[in-house]
Amino acid sequence: MQERYDFKNIEQKWQQEWDQKNIYYRPDYSDRPKYYCLEMFPYPSGKLHMGHVRNYSIGDVVARFKTMKGYDVLHPMGWDAFGLPAENAAMKHGVHPAGWTWENIENMKQQLKQLGLSYDWQREVATCHPDYYKWTQWIFLKLYQQGKCYKKTASVNWCPSCTTVLANEQVVEGACERCDSKVEQRQLEQWFFRITDYSQRLLDDLQNLSGWPEKVRIMQENWIGRSEGAEVKFKVSGSGEEIEVFTTRPDTIYGVTYMVLAPEHPLVNTITTGTDYEEDVSAFVKKVRNMSELARTTAEKEGVFTGAHCINPINGERIPILVGNYVLLEYGTGAVMGVPAHDQRDFEFAKKYNLPIRPVIQPEGTDMQSKELTEAYTGEGVLVNSGTFNGLPYKEAIRAITDKLEESNQGSGRINFRLRDWLISRQRYWGTPIPIIYCKKCGTVPVPEEQLPVVLPTEVEFDFTGKSPLVDNPEFVNTTCPKCGDEAKRETDTMDTFIDSSWYYLRYTSPKETEGPWNKNNADRWMGVNQYIGGVEHAILHLLYSRFFTKFFHDQGLVKVQEPFENLLTQGMVLKDGAKMSKSKGNVVSPEEIVGKYGADTARLFILFAAPPERDLEWSDRAVEGCNRFLNRVWRLYQSVLDEVKDAPTVKDANKLVGVHQELRRITHQTIKKITDDVEKRFNFNTGISAIMEQVNAIYTYRDKVPQSERNPAVMREALEATVLMLAPFAPHVTEELWQAMGYNDSIHQQPWPVYDEKALVEEEVTIVVQINGKVRERMLVPADYSADDMKKYVLDQPKVKQLTEGKQIVKTIAVPGKLVNIVVK
RNA sequence: GCCGAAGUGGCGGAAUUGGCAGACGCACUGGACUCAAAAUCCAGCGGUGUAACAACCGUGUGGGUUCGAAUCCCACCUUCGGCACCA
């Protein structure tokens, strides 16, 4: 065994050896129970950052641990390879996006390998490969056939810097999620997926995801935004038109004093054209429409009267119709009944325009009408000013009024969702082409399945306007209609890259399948993902889309599961000096540098030791050194005692062990128990590693305190083997080296996880705490099997305790076996 | 504004079911080894206090429940994350 811990040689040697022996390869079937461990695949930006290292180190511990626990572990890796940065690089450096991407993939793959991650590289996928996106297109066609995919003109989010549209989910506080530019609204014809058909199921099934962080479930719940209420029809006076509104408070319908339409509402034109109000209204609409979404949501509530009136169906009252900037066309019906007494927004609006405010809900035992309202009352209460419904509690009134409206066909109960359909077309080049052809005769025609893939042309010219080069590419655009054979044009939009990443976890189960997107048997064997690991920034986008896809696939009989990810771990960020690492802040620590200086094992150990996975992690160069020091300490320990233990037998007659030998064995087994719990049940790798450190310290103490002639080589060997086995998932290279040094030829990563001996954990005596009135006064050693009564008796009999309680009256004594005795005195 | 999470030594963090606060590591201090340094090893390391003990204080703040609270309850403060005219 080498004197020095030479991480460079060791890591290189074992990475090669593992590669050669293919030890991480997983065949499709085996007798062992399956375990699918998945980490979110990266965008191939060119270089790994610390966030990746953290993500993949966590996943690797899980995969290695489960393998040692006897599972058949699927642990694949791939590339989310389509996306805008490739195009930007093309424009900036004149390289082709494809070349740029493949080069980055090669680079990052090397970096991943240097970390010693246990991936089955035979399952690697890249979403930009035609063998992959062929099936992305196939999925698009499936959705199209099933009526889950459609094209429509809508007000959409446009990012001027990325020169493309964005999905609702990709707009963060009115800005582009990627580049932070202000998002504009444009009227464009775009492709959508009908994710809203799944709103209720996506919401309901969150209940089954007990293995997900509560936080993520709540975020999705809010995003889906279900609200229960009623739809009510208001007839427009003097015309046949009707305005429908959605309300969650039909009980307040007697409090309606006006009606507000969204500026984009189609009726606005109908009711104002040719009237005296037309000019004012259209000026107002124009003004509001020109505002960005952000400006609009922060602006003061404003409105204008249309001159028209409508009739409240419940009491026949005539109320004015206004147009207001605070009403959104996209939500509900784009019209709101104004109930200023019981809705804060309506209240502010009514105050500004002197519209009547009529309370109809009154908290029991008060008189709402006698005092002037200063804000809307949104709480519980009983109905007043509401005709025959007076005196009814509001909850019952919601029911009764909805029923009444339903009887007369003027409304009905209704559920509304905040979730919008998923806008999936992008005016970009580097993405999966949408397999649609436009024919003058036949209209919109899907590309037949046997013509897939629609290949993204590589011979393209990039100009600097940001316009997609597909648009002006005649070889791509010009085609023939699959139906009639006439000249036709291809769709030049490509798909949102979130589509690519919404099904990759299925492709891993049969990455080379040519008959379909995946092999159903394989998919059903491996799915769902037992443990998914990634950043919380995907809590809505990627995770919601993937859930939608899986449900759709399930409905099509393509896969058995209804949810893709059984357990989800959202790792925290990697911080330096309290802030997220970023180029602009100049606080980036490169993984390459750390691996070069201390080795992958040290880097991994630090990142897993510094904080539990879910929390943010503060980078510390000093603490990294500390982890390196620990591995050196382990190395030296083995080196110093290897000769002593190399030919040692296994521990026999364990029950006959006494003293320090028994103690070392007890610590070994206690450590196994602790770390197994930490890794398996809690993912608390930091405390697990600290337990291994304590174990190492204990072996050192044993070595130093017990003369060599008296040491028990079998107990020592057991301790050393357990240590290295437990450390193996965290630091795979150095542990492999030490394992081989112990005389083994098989890889440590194919060994079973150590098992603790319940009998070895038992202690004969334990230290208990003696408290007086809850304050620790004394510690004493008592037999471990003492009952509560034994403990009380023993403790109260001690001279020291008698002295402490002298002159005081003992009111009560509480004893917890093995832990403490508390004496309450007066 | 609404929803959620967190707040513990100089620092990262631990305390798993209400039972010894500060495990493990970093930093620091003293010592050993060395011509010297690095590395390594040993010891110390929340605060007040003491010659040393003792004792007292201490888990964001204030209250409460309990024999006993970092842990449970109530109110508040701060930081971070998500949503934000959703009718």
Side-chain angles (χ1 to χ4, degrees):
Chain A
M1 194 175 154
Q2 269 209 336
E3 205 175 309
R4 219 180 95 241
Y5 164 44
D6 179 3
F7 67 85
K8 263 203 179 106
N9 273 324
I10 292 170
E11 296 190 352
Q12 213 173 39
K13 177 172 100 189
W14 290 112
Q15 281 162 19
Q16 276 172 14
E17 179 106 2
W18 296 333
D19 237 7
Q20 252 166 40
K21 291 195 175 157
N22 219 359
I23 72 163
Y24 303 123
Y25 165 71
R26 284 294 173 281
D28 293 335
Y29 291 92
S30 95
D31 297 335
R32 292 185 295 161
K34 74 95 183 178
Y35 189 92
Y36 190 172
C37 174
L38 182 66
E39 299 114 54
M40 291 180 184
F41 65 167
Y43 177 79
S45 58
K47 273 191 177 165
L48 238 44
H49 56 68
M50 279 302 171
H52 291 127
V53 178
R54 188 172 195 199
N55 194 170
Y56 304 144
S57 297
I58 293 166
D60 204 45
V61 172
V62 174
R64 288 181 187 275
F65 173 77
K66 287 289 176 184
T67 303
M68 292 175 87
K69 273 289 200 174
Y71 289 91
D72 191 22
V73 175
L74 185 67
H75 191 215
M77 183 40 74
W79 311 97
D80 187 12
F82 273 136
L84 208 43
E87 280 181 72
N88 291 339
M91 286 190 280
K92 224 172 167 179
H93 310 297
V95 291
H96 193 279
W100 183 85
T101 302
W102 287 112
E103 216 169 276
N104 285 348
I105 287 176
E106 211 32 61
N107 218 330
M108 285 174 79
K109 191 169 167 181
Q110 284 319 306
Q111 291 188 309
L112 287 177
K113 286 198 167 181
Q114 277 164 17
L115 285 170
L117 302 164
S118 61
Y119 294 124
D120 177 359
W121 283 107
Q122 262 132 87
R123 292 180 183 271
E124 181 181 5
V125 303
T127 59
C128 66
H129 196 289
D131 287 349
Y132 185 93
Y133 71 67
K134 170 181 179 177
W135 299 109
T136 308
Q137 292 171 338
W138 185 89
I139 291 164
F140 177 97
L141 293 175
K142 257 277 179 276
L143 284 152
Y144 186 83
Q145 287 156 15
Q146 299 302 316
K148 301 295 180 203
C149 170
Y150 64 98
K151 205 177 187 190
K152 75 164 180 196
T153 303
S155 175
V156 296
N157 307 301
W158 175 266
C159 173
S161 153
C162 301
T163 62
T164 185
V165 296
L166 300 171
N168 253 11
E169 289 81 0
Q170 290 162 341
V171 180
V172 179
E173 288 180 2
C176 173
E177 174 225 14
R178 276 207 62 258
C179 69
D180 232 28
S181 316
K182 271 202 177 163
V183 169
E184 300 165 3
Q185 298 302 301
R186 288 202 182 178
Q187 292 289 316
L188 289 170
E189 197 182 18
Q190 296 291 319
W191 287 97
F192 290 85
F193 283 168
R194 247 182 248 286
I195 191 172
T196 54
D197 279 3
Y198 288 81
S199 303
Q200 190 66 55
R201 274 169 75 190
L202 287 167
L203 180 68
D204 288 345
D205 290 356
L206 285 173
Q207 308 254 312
N208 305 332
L209 298 177
S210 56
W212 280 36
E214 175 102 39
K215 174 173 68 164
V216 175
R217 292 199 311 240
I218 290 172
M219 279 164 74
Q220 290 213 354
E221 203 178 303
N222 292 341
W223 190 263
I224 296 166
R226 182 185 196 271
S227 56
E228 235 170 281
E231 200 166 77
V232 187
K233 294 175 194 162
F234 286 68
K235 286 203 168 63
V236 177
S237 307
S239 89
E241 302 286 353
E242 271 182 348
I243 300 171
E244 276 186 277
V245 297
F246 172 73
T247 176
T248 54
R249 296 293 302 272
D251 55 318
T252 64
I253 194 163
Y254 283 87
V256 176
T257 54
Y258 61 96
M259 168 71 64
V260 208
L261 302 178
E264 299 87 350
H265 196 286
L267 267 180
V268 172
N269 271 332
T270 323
I271 58 177
T272 56
T273 306
T275 70
D276 295 346
Y277 296 89
E278 183 177 2
E279 206 176 312
D280 285 356
V281 170
S282 68
F284 176 77
V285 168
K286 208 169 162 193
K287 185 178 106 187
V288 176
R289 274 198 175 191
N290 281 339
M291 289 167 101
S292 72
E293 199 175 7
L294 191 67
R296 193 163 153 180
T297 53
T298 48
E300 200 186 326
K301 282 165 195 50
E302 272 191 285
V304 59
F305 180 44
T306 62
H309 291 81
C310 63
I311 307 298
N312 185 337
I314 205 87
N315 57 10
E317 218 169 59
R318 202 172 114 98
I319 51 169
I321 305 171
L322 293 89
V323 178
N325 63 350
Y326 73 103
V327 179
L328 307 171
L329 182 72
E330 304 86 51
Y331 187 76
T333 59
V336 173
M337 59 182 216
V339 187
H342 304 292
D343 182 291
Q344 189 55 30
R345 293 155 303 181
D346 295 345
F347 182 84
E348 286 165 31
F349 193 74
K351 276 275 173 200
K352 179 160 180 173
Y353 294 105
N354 276 321
L355 294 154
I357 298 169
R358 183 195 307 149
V360 290
I361 307 284
Q362 191 161 271
E364 236 160 329
T366 63
D367 182 7
M368 204 85 165
Q369 298 169 71
S370 61
K371 49 179 189 257
E372 175 97 350
L373 287 174
T374 52
E375 56 178 4
Y377 176 73
T378 53
E380 306 182 354
V382 171
L383 268 69
V384 292
N385 291 330
S386 298
T388 54
F389 298 98
N390 280 341
L392 220 53
Y394 83 108
K395 264 196 185 146
E396 287 172 39
I398 290 176
R399 243 249 164 77
I401 291 177
T402 308
D403 285 350
K404 172 106 188 261
L405 290 166
E406 226 156 294
E407 273 166 32
S408 55
N409 210 18
Q410 289 172 304
S412 58
R414 158 129 191 214
I415 289 150
N416 227 319
F417 293 92
R418 207 191 77 116
L419 184 69
R420 301 272 82 84
D421 273 341
W422 176 12
L423 196 173
I424 59 108
S425 41
R426 296 288 179 274
Q427 293 68 51
R428 305 301 325 166
Y429 163 73
W430 192 234
T432 304
I434 292 176
I436 288 286
I437 291 167
Y438 299 108
C439 168
K440 277 205 176 115
K441 252 193 260 166
C442 310
T444 303
V445 184
V447 173
E449 204 179 309
E450 56 282 3
Q451 284 178 26
L452 295 182
V454 175
V455 177
L456 190 64
T458 45
E459 298 293 314
V460 289
E461 294 282 321
F462 284 89
D463 62 19
F464 294 89
T465 62
K467 193 168 84 174
S468 164
L470 290 181
V471 179
D472 305 318
N473 187 303
E475 278 132 73
F476 178 77
V477 174
N478 296 324
T479 185
T480 52
C481 172
K483 258 193 194 161
C484 68
D486 265 12
E487 283 184 4
K489 303 239 184 249
R490 282 194 195 281
E491 170 66 78
T492 57
D493 281 359
T494 55
M495 296 185 215
D496 180 6
T497 57
F498 277 103
I499 298 173
D500 307 325
S501 56
S502 292
W503 71 280
Y504 77 110
Y505 47 92
L506 284 157
R507 185 67 183 173
Y508 281 143
T509 66
S510 38
K512 301 191 171 70
E513 178 66 39
T514 54
E515 302 300 309
W518 53 82
N519 173 293
K520 184 165 190 299
N521 287 333
N522 286 6
D524 284 342
R525 167 157 196 245
W526 290 111
M527 288 297 289
V529 173
N530 296 79
Q531 187 62 57
Y532 197 31
I533 304 155
V536 73
E537 67 273 17
H538 293 108
I540 295 167
L541 294 155
H542 165 61
L543 291 169
L544 191 67
Y545 295 149
S546 297
R547 293 184 61 222
F548 159 50
F549 263 36
T550 299
K551 289 184 193 306
F552 174 74
F553 298 147
H554 170 86
D555 293 350
Q556 296 306 306
L558 294 167
V559 68
K560 220 190 279 171
V561 291
Q562 299 216 40
E563 284 290 340
F565 314 123
E566 286 170 18
N567 296 290
L568 174 69
L569 190 146
T570 51
Q571 106 237 11
M573 290 187 293
V574 182
L575 311 177
K576 176 94 195 284
D577 311 318
K580 190 183 174 168
M581 284 187 186
S582 73
K583 271 186 212 150
S584 58
K585 291 206 183 74
N587 60 349
V588 176
V589 180
S590 102
E592 261 178 327
E593 186 195 317
I594 298 298
V595 170
K597 200 164 167 192
Y598 301 104
D601 283 343
T602 294
R604 295 169 53 134
L605 195 67
F606 164 74
I607 230 165
L608 295 162
F609 178 60
E614 302 229 74
R615 273 216 242 170
D616 287 349
L617 180 154
E618 176 69 29
W619 186 268
S620 158
D621 289 324
R622 298 283 204 170
V624 174
E625 274 174 49
C627 286
N628 188 250
R629 201 144 55 211
F630 169 69
L631 291 180
N632 269 296
R633 196 167 143 77
V634 174
W635 184 268
R636 283 196 309 275
L637 175 64
Y638 272 75
Q639 209 210 7
S640 70
V641 297
L642 194 62
D643 288 343
E644 230 177 284
V645 302
K646 201 153 182 192
D647 302 312
T650 54
V651 178
K652 290 191 194 85
D653 297 324
N655 53 332
K656 287 188 185 141
L657 288 170
V658 291
V660 284
H661 315 295
Q662 185 195 27
E663 196 186 322
L664 179 60
R665 185 156 191 274
R666 189 177 64 237
I667 292 170
T668 300
H669 286 262
Q670 281 173 341
T671 306
I672 298 171
K673 183 175 159 62
K674 164 139 181 71
I675 193 170
T676 307
D677 277 3
D678 281 350
V679 174
E680 196 164 44
K681 297 187 185 141
R682 313 199 301 153
F683 288 117
N684 278 12
F685 306 132
N686 55 333
T687 52
I689 292 167
S690 82
I692 299 174
M693 288 172 169
E694 286 179 81
Q695 160 84 353
V696 169
N697 291 345
I699 304 172
Y700 261 104
T701 306
Y702 181 86
R703 187 201 69 179
D704 293 343
K705 298 273 156 74
V706 185
Q708 186 169 348
S709 58
E710 289 170 32
R711 287 181 210 149
N712 184 326
V715 170
M716 270 175 90
R717 182 175 178 118
E718 187 188 56
L720 288 163
E721 280 195 7
T723 302
V724 78
L725 283 164
M726 291 184 291
L727 193 56
F730 304 95
H733 309 89
V734 65
T735 49
E736 182 79 292
E737 181 73 19
L738 292 170
W739 184 249
Q740 308 281 328
M742 300 273 281
Y744 294 106
N745 291 318
D746 292 336
S747 172
I748 192 172
H749 303 298
Q750 294 173 322
Q751 303 308 313
W753 184 255
V755 180
Y756 63 89
D757 175 3
E758 198 77 52
K759 278 181 260 154
L761 303 176
V762 178
E763 290 179 68
E764 276 149 28
E765 289 191 308
V766 287
T767 306
I768 62 154
V769 165
V770 179
Q771 296 180 335
I772 310 263
N773 286 346
K775 292 198 171 178
V776 181
R777 282 290 177 263
E778 206 57 39
R779 275 157 235 263
M780 40 188 74
L781 213 54
V782 304
D785 57 359
Y786 260 21
S787 69
D789 281 343
D790 292 340
M791 281 170 60
K792 283 185 200 172
K793 212 170 144 213
Y794 177 84
V795 165
L796 289 171
D797 217 35
Q798 295 300 305
K800 180 83 197 181
V801 175
K802 282 186 172 155
Q803 190 193 322
L804 282 163
T805 56
E806 212 184 344
K808 286 167 190 145
Q809 191 201 339
I810 297 174
V811 182
K812 192 174 172 186
T813 312
I814 295 116
V816 180
K819 286 201 171 136
L820 86 162
V821 174
N822 186 16
I823 304 161
V824 185
V825 297
K826 258 204 300 214

